[in-house]
Amino acid sequence: MSVLLELQGVTAFYGAIQALKGIDLVVNEGEIVTLIGANGAGKSTLMMTICGTPAARDGRIIYDGTDIHAMPTHEIMRRRIAQSPEGRRIFARMSVYENLLMGAHGGDQVAAAQTMEQVFVMFPRLKERRDQRGGTLSGGEQQMLAIGRALMSRPRLLLLDEPSLGLAPLVSKAIFAAIKALNRTTGLTVLLVEQNAVQALKLAHRGYVLVNGAITMQGTGAELLARPEIRAAYLEGGH
Amino acid sequence: MIKALKDAGISALIALGIFGAMVGLPSVVGEGGKLSLDPQPWTVAIIVAVVFIGRLGMVLWQANRKPRVKAKSAAHSKYTISNVAGPLLLIVAVVLPMAGDRYLIDVGVLVMTYVMLGWGLNIVVGLAGLLDLGYVAFYAVGAYSYALLAQTFGLGFWTCLPLAGLLAAFWGMLLGFPVLRLRGDYLAIVTLAFGEIIRVVLLNWTQLTGGPNGISGIPRPTLFGLKFTLGDGPDTFAGFFHLTPSVTYRVAFLYYVIFGLALLTNWVSSRLRRLPLGRAWEALREDEIACRALGINVTTTKLTAFAIGACFGGFAGAFFATRQAFISPESFTFIESAIVLAVVVLGGLGSQIGVALAAIVMIGGGEVFRDFNEYRMLIFGLALVVVMVVRPRGLVSGRTPSVSLGKGVHIAADMMSQGHG
Ligand SMILES: Nc1ncnc2c1ncn2[C@@H]1O[C@H](COP(=O)(O)OP(=O)(O)OP(=O)(O)O)[C@@H](O)[C@H]1O
Ligand SMILES: [Mg+2]
C-alpha cells in the first residue's frame, strides 16, 4: 500500500493562536482515514491546511511524492485533491447543476458531463432537483450536493469535513454508505472528519484522535473503538 | 395560431400606446414660437406593423421549436419581465432618436450612459458581489485618458476608446490588489477612498489635468471619418448624405454610440455569465471559502471582475468626455458612484433588465421632475425608499440559471430572499 498523503510536524496559526501543534499523519492510497476530536480541536483547520488556507507554517505536507505545503490553494486543488468543507457551503442562489459545474471548474467539459452522470447515479435525488436552487435543498440533499460537487473534479483524495452535520440518523447512514461504496468501487482515498465517532470509526480503516491541535492516539478503527478512553471521551457523551 | 395572433395584437397595441404619443405626435415650434403638433400617422403605423409582425414571428418560431418541458413555475417561464420588457425597451431605444426631439435624445443619452455604467458596475457588485463605492474613478480615468490622448497626440475617439478601456482596467487591477482580502463594509470604504483619491489627484495635478479648470475642446467622434459639424463640406455627415446640417444628427449619433457601447456591455456580461469565469464570479459572491475549497483561484477571479467592470466604466468615461467636449473633476464626485450603485441595487443586483429599468426610472424620472427644483431630490429619495420597502430585492430580482439542461426555470424572487445574499 503506497502512501498518498503524509503530514510531518505540520503547524498552523490564526494570527497568534496556534491551531495545529506539529501534526504527523499518514493516509495510504485507497484508505478511509478518520479524524475525531472535540469541538475546537483543530480538525477543520487540519483539513484546510492540507489545502493551503491557512498555509502550514512549519513541517511538510507530502502528497503523491511532492511537498505541497507552500503552494497556493488553487494549485494544490489542481492535483486532484477535493474538499467538501464544513457546513456544506452550497452556492445558495445557483442551481444544483451550476453548483456541480463549479466543482469541475477549469476542467474539461466533456469529462465534467460524464462525471456528473456518475454523481447523479450515486445521488439520484440530485438529478431530480437539477434545476432547483441550491439553497432550497434540504440539509441532506445539500450534503449530497456538497459531496457530489467535490467529486466533480475526479479526485484521488477526498477530504470530507463533517458530512453528517445536522442530518437525521437515516440520512447520515445513507451518506456513510455512499462514501463506503465510493471507496470500494473506485478506490477513492478519503480523509473524514466526524463528530459521530462510532459511525466514523466503524467505517474507517484507520483513525486519529486530535486534542488541542495535537494527535494523541491512532490506530485501526476497531482498535480505537475498543479503547476505554475513547469510549469515555467521544462515544458516551461528555468531553 | 389564434393565440399567436392575439399575442402579437397585444404587443402591437402596447407599441401603439407608447409610440403613438412619442413618435406620432412630436411637437414642433411653429412661427412665432408657438408649439404645435405635427402628427406622423405613417411612422407610427410602420412601427406598430413591425412590432406586430416581429412578435408574431417570435411566437411562431418559439412554438415550432421542440416542445419544452413545462417548468414547475410555468407562470414565470413565458411572461417574465425580461422576456416582455427586454425586447420592448430595445425597440423603444432603437427608434427613440427618430422622434427628432433634441431634448428627448439628450435625456436618452444621459439615461443610456447610466444604463451602461450600471451594467458595468453590475459585473463587480451584482455578479462578483464586491461592493464598490468608487466606480466613478474608472469613469474619470476613461474620460481623462481620452481627453489627454486626444489633446496630446491628436488621436481620434475610436482609437482612444479601447485605450481608455485598457487604462481603466489597469486601474481596476491596481485597486483590486490591495482590497483582495477585504469584504463587505471594509471593501466599500477602501473603494470609496480610491474614488476620492483619483478625483483629488485630478484636481491637484494641474500641469497634466488642468486642475479645477478641467480640459476643454475635446474632439467629437466621427462616423467613418465623417464629422458632425454644422458645415456641409464633403467630409461632414450632412454634406456626404446631402442633408441639411443640423445639431440633431450629432446628438442622435452620440445616442447611437452610447447605445452601442451599452449593448456591448450587456452582451459581454451576459456572455461571461455563461462562461466558467462568470460562474466563478457568482460562486465567489455566494461563498468565498467554498470557492477556495473547490480550487478556484480567488485572486484572479476578483481581479478580472474589477478589471472588466472598470474597463466598461472607462469606455463610458471616454464617451462622456467626447459628448461634453469638456471635463473637470467636478463631474466625478462620489455622488456619481452612489447613483450608479443605486441603479444597480434598485434594479435588483445582477439583473440586466432591472438595471436598465432602474436607470430609466431614476435618471429619466429625475429629468421629468426637473421642474420641481428643490423637491426633486426629495421625490427621488422618497421613491428610492418606497421601492426598497415594496421590493427589497430590487425591481427585477429573479435569477435565471446561466446554464440548465432543457428547461429553463426562473428562480423567483420570493424564494431568493431565503438565501443569504
Ligand atoms: N478563522 C479563524 N480565526 C481565528 N481562529 C480560528 C479560525 N478558525 C478556527 N479558529 C480557532 O482554531 C481552533 C480550531 O478550530 P477548528 O475549526 O479547526 O476546530 P474543529 O476541530 O473543526 O471544531 P468543530 O468540531 O467544532 O468543527 C479553535 O480554537 C478556533 O477557535
Ligand atoms: Mg470543524
Side-chain angles (χ1 to χ4, degrees):
Chain A
M1 216 191 276
S2 64
V3 175
L4 183 60
L5 177 76
E6 182 171 5
L7 276 68
Q8 302 172 346
V10 169
T11 66
F13 291 78
Y14 290 111
I17 305 165
Q18 184 164 16
L20 298 179
K21 300 167 181 162
I23 303 285
D24 296 308
L25 178 147
V26 171
V27 180
N28 295 310
E29 183 109 49
E31 257 187 336
I32 300 179
V33 174
T34 186
L35 197 61
I36 57 177
N39 292 124
K43 305 181 296 293
S44 301
T45 306
L46 180 56
M47 300 292 254
M48 291 306 284
T49 301
I50 293 171
C51 300
T53 37
R57 187 172 294 180
D58 317 294
R60 308 208 297 155
I61 301 176
I62 297 153
Y63 170 77
D64 198 19
T66 330
D67 188 356
I68 57 168
H69 89 274
M71 288 184 182
T73 304
H74 62 273
E75 267 174 39
I76 296 174
M77 308 312 277
R78 214 180 285 155
R79 295 170 178 255
R80 299 183 59 201
I81 300 183
Q83 172 158 197
S84 160
E86 186 173 15
R88 308 193 264 265
R89 296 189 171 272
I90 291 304
F91 301 123
R93 280 194 272 174
M94 297 168 83
S95 68
V96 167
Y97 183 65
E98 288 172 310
N99 265 281
L100 288 174
L101 276 186
M102 289 313 301
H105 187 79
D108 133 52
Q109 304 271 314
V110 183
Q114 283 171 0
T115 318
M116 196 176 302
E117 278 314 310
Q118 290 164 9
V119 170
F120 284 152
V121 168
M122 195 183 321
F123 301 117
R125 265 298 184 79
L126 294 182
K127 186 167 190 167
E128 289 163 28
R129 311 197 164 256
R130 192 171 47 189
D131 290 320
Q132 189 173 327
R133 191 172 69 90
T136 60
L137 296 177
S138 79
E141 290 162 350
Q142 286 192 13
Q143 190 57 62
M144 294 174 198
L145 181 54
I147 296 174
R149 188 175 64 179
L151 290 174
M152 284 298 290
S153 62
R154 296 179 175 233
R156 274 176 83 184
L157 173 65
L158 177 64
L159 307 173
L160 290 175
D161 197 343
E162 301 202 24
S164 71
L165 186 78
L167 300 186
L170 262 181
V171 184
S172 86
K173 257 206 181 103
I175 298 274
F176 276 95
I179 297 168
K180 189 162 196 167
L182 257 173
N183 171 260
R184 283 252 173 87
T185 55
T186 65
L188 178 71
T189 311
V190 180
L191 179 56
L192 172 74
V193 165
E194 257 302 322
Q195 292 289 345
N196 188 339
V198 185
Q199 269 195 342
L201 287 172
K202 278 185 183 159
L203 172 77
H205 300 108
R206 294 188 303 113
Y208 289 85
V209 178
L210 193 63
V211 176
N212 275 331
I215 304 272
T216 55
M217 262 181 267
Q218 55 176 303
T220 64
E223 269 169 28
L224 287 176
L225 269 175
R227 300 277 284 260
E229 55 274 49
I230 298 263
R231 300 201 73 89
Y234 304 107
L235 306 183
E236 277 146 17
H239 296 287
Chain B
M1 186 67 200
I2 307 256
K3 222 175 127 234
L5 277 173
K6 206 170 123 194
D7 195 322
I10 292 171
S11 305
L13 269 181
I14 297 173
L16 180 68
I18 296 173
F19 300 114
M22 233 176 61
V23 184
L25 296 173
S27 49
V28 287
V29 184
E31 294 127 82
K34 267 201 295 183
L35 271 182
S36 62
L37 289 174
D38 173 21
Q40 307 252 339
W42 287 113
T43 326
V44 175
I46 290 169
I47 293 172
V48 171
V50 166
V51 169
F52 181 79
I53 294 167
R55 179 70 202 175
L56 191 66
M58 238 171 77
V59 172
L60 290 181
W61 179 68
Q62 271 174 354
N64 283 340
R65 277 164 50 176
K66 51 182 182 297
R68 289 183 166 203
V69 189
K70 266 278 181 296
K72 263 159 273 162
S73 52
H76 283 291
S77 60
K78 197 169 172 207
Y79 288 111
T80 58
I81 298 183
S82 348
N83 286 2
V84 178
L88 261 180
L89 281 181
L90 200 64
I91 296 169
V92 174
V94 170
V95 298
L96 184 104
M98 294 169 193
D101 182 340
R102 166 96 201 263
Y103 173 69
L104 192 64
I105 305 175
D106 267 333
V107 175
V109 169
L110 194 66
V111 170
M112 209 55 96
T113 310
Y114 281 94
V115 170
M116 171 164 185
L117 285 170
W119 280 340
L121 183 61
N122 193 30
I123 294 175
V124 186
V125 180
L127 290 185
L130 303 163
L131 186 51
D132 183 351
L133 290 183
Y135 195 57
V136 73
F138 310 120
Y139 192 42
V141 167
Y144 274 87
S145 302
Y146 171 53
L148 291 172
L149 285 170
Q151 295 229 313
T152 324
F153 303 106
L155 296 176
F157 176 72
W158 296 108
T159 323
C160 293
L161 187 65
L163 293 176
L166 274 179
L167 279 166
F170 169 75
W171 282 96
M173 300 264 262
L174 228 53
L175 167 66
F177 274 112
V179 302
L180 274 175
R181 294 161 161 275
L182 303 180
R183 305 225 59 177
D185 327 1
Y186 302 100
L187 176 65
I189 290 172
V190 175
T191 52
L192 191 155
F194 181 77
E196 283 301 286
I197 290 170
I198 294 277
R199 190 178 62 84
V200 171
V201 167
L202 291 175
L203 199 58
N204 290 295
W205 195 352
T206 323
Q207 295 106 303
L208 185 74
T209 64
N213 298 331
I215 301 176
S216 52
I218 301 166
R220 302 286 194 177
T222 56
L223 176 68
F224 299 111
L226 296 177
K227 286 191 271 228
F228 284 87
T229 46
L230 278 183
D232 54 1
D235 63 340
T236 67
F237 178 78
F240 189 81
F241 289 103
H242 306 292
L243 300 164
T244 336
S246 156
V247 194
T248 313
Y249 294 135
R250 195 191 72 222
V251 186
F253 174 63
L254 282 173
Y255 175 84
Y256 282 117
V257 169
I258 186 67
F259 182 43
L261 285 173
L263 284 185
L264 178 76
T265 316
N266 185 328
W267 183 77
V268 169
S269 46
S270 42
R271 251 313 107 106
L272 282 171
R273 249 198 80 197
R274 291 190 188 87
L275 295 178
L277 176 63
R279 236 178 285 130
W281 285 341
E282 290 200 79
L284 193 68
R285 176 191 67 198
E286 303 286 300
D287 195 322
E288 189 170 330
I289 292 179
C291 284
R292 285 183 193 278
L294 293 175
I296 293 165
N297 189 339
V298 176
T299 309
T300 44
T301 308
K302 278 191 184 177
L303 286 183
T304 46
F306 272 118
I308 294 176
C311 177
F312 288 115
F315 287 156
F319 173 81
F320 177 77
T322 196
R323 178 203 168 202
Q324 300 289 90
F326 165 75
I327 50 170
S328 75
E330 237 171 85
S331 309
F332 307 104
T333 52
F334 169 67
I335 189 74
E336 291 299 316
S337 294
I339 290 177
V340 179
L341 187 68
V343 163
V344 175
V345 174
L346 200 62
L349 286 166
S351 160
Q352 305 270 23
I353 189 77
V355 167
L357 285 175
I360 293 169
V361 171
M362 281 187 56
I363 312 302
E367 282 301 313
V368 171
F369 288 113
R370 196 164 274 278
D371 296 340
F372 291 79
N373 290 321
E374 61 266 41
Y375 295 111
R376 192 165 143 235
M377 281 325 264
L378 187 70
I379 295 172
F380 181 66
L382 269 179
L384 272 188
V385 172
V386 168
V387 169
M388 281 344 258
V389 169
V390 179
R391 303 211 53 150
R393 300 235 136 205
L395 292 173
V396 184
S397 52
R399 176 182 175 278
T400 325
S402 61
V403 279
S404 64
L405 300 170
K407 50 182 169 181
V409 180
H410 188 76
I411 295 169
D414 48 335
M415 285 158 74
M416 296 226 314
S417 56
Q418 296 159 10
H420 50 250

